[in-house]
Amino acid sequence: MPIRHEHRFFYPIDWPQLSAVIRFQRAGGRCEVCARPHGQRVFHLGDGRWWDGEAASWRDGAGRFICLAIGSDDILGQVRTTRVVLATGHRDHDTANNRSRNLTAFCQRCHMNHDRPEHRRRRWRTLFRRKALGDLFKGPYPNA
């Protein structure tokens, strides 16, 4: 995932090399949470379950092998495809903490799930700031 311009100075200058080591050497080109392979299109059901072509089996959102009950799900009606892109993320959301044990290789889905509380916090802060500025300068809340 690209780093926002205003956050670039929080990351070390060798971040691209550090990220590549985590994603491809340590994780072997797979998400460390769900084991989705980097750069490949995977079939998934939208709820975390996905088809692992190499193992010829379905996996859940945690990377465990699962069996789908025949007839209980309309799989063909739910199947979608996604191209997997790995990114390196901080487990504790602290961009200054670049120890190997704090970094992990995430696919898009796992990265968004991991960052969900932080995104909620930032969204709340943005909306709060917007309303405060509306109170101070513009009257009723613009674009809130």
Side-chain angles (χ1 to χ4, degrees):
M1 293 183 163
I3 300 169
R4 296 180 82 173
H5 182 69
E6 60 267 20
H7 298 147
R8 250 183 230 288
F9 65 93
F10 288 121
Y11 290 84
I13 197 165
D14 63 343
W15 178 253
Q17 294 80 12
L18 182 60
S19 176
V21 166
I22 298 297
R23 291 179 294 147
F24 300 115
Q25 288 181 5
R26 188 179 81 189
R30 286 186 169 261
C31 176
E32 291 183 316
V33 177
C34 70
R36 291 181 189 202
H38 174 73
Q40 295 184 14
R41 288 201 174 275
V42 296
F43 296 101
H44 65 94
L45 300 178
D47 60 358
R49 296 178 292 176
W50 63 282
W51 177 255
D52 186 352
E54 292 177 12
S57 180
W58 286 94
R59 290 184 183 244
D60 65 2
R64 296 180 299 250
F65 291 106
I66 59 170
C67 293
L68 297 179
I70 297 174
S72 66
D73 290 332
D74 177 24
I75 294 175
L76 291 179
Q78 296 178 9
V79 171
R80 296 179 250 171
T81 61
T82 300
R83 185 169 185 269
V84 178
V85 178
L86 290 182
T88 301
H90 294 85
R91 293 179 198 260
D92 65 359
H93 302 287
D94 179 10
T95 56
N97 184 359
N98 292 312
R99 294 187 196 132
S100 179
R101 67 174 184 239
N102 187 47
L103 300 175
T104 190
F106 287 122
C107 66
Q108 306 96 299
R109 179 182 178 278
C110 295
H111 206 161
M112 290 301 290
N113 286 341
H114 177 72
D115 287 347
R116 183 170 284 125
E118 180 66 14
H119 290 167
R120 280 192 187 132
R121 186 190 66 77
R122 287 185 185 177
R123 182 173 184 265
W124 178 86
R125 186 170 180 223
T126 299
L127 291 175
F128 183 81
R129 187 174 59 234
R130 223 180 258 166
K131 286 182 180 184
L133 287 173
D135 284 344
L136 289 174
F137 300 111
K138 299 177 185 171
Y141 311 117
N143 301 328

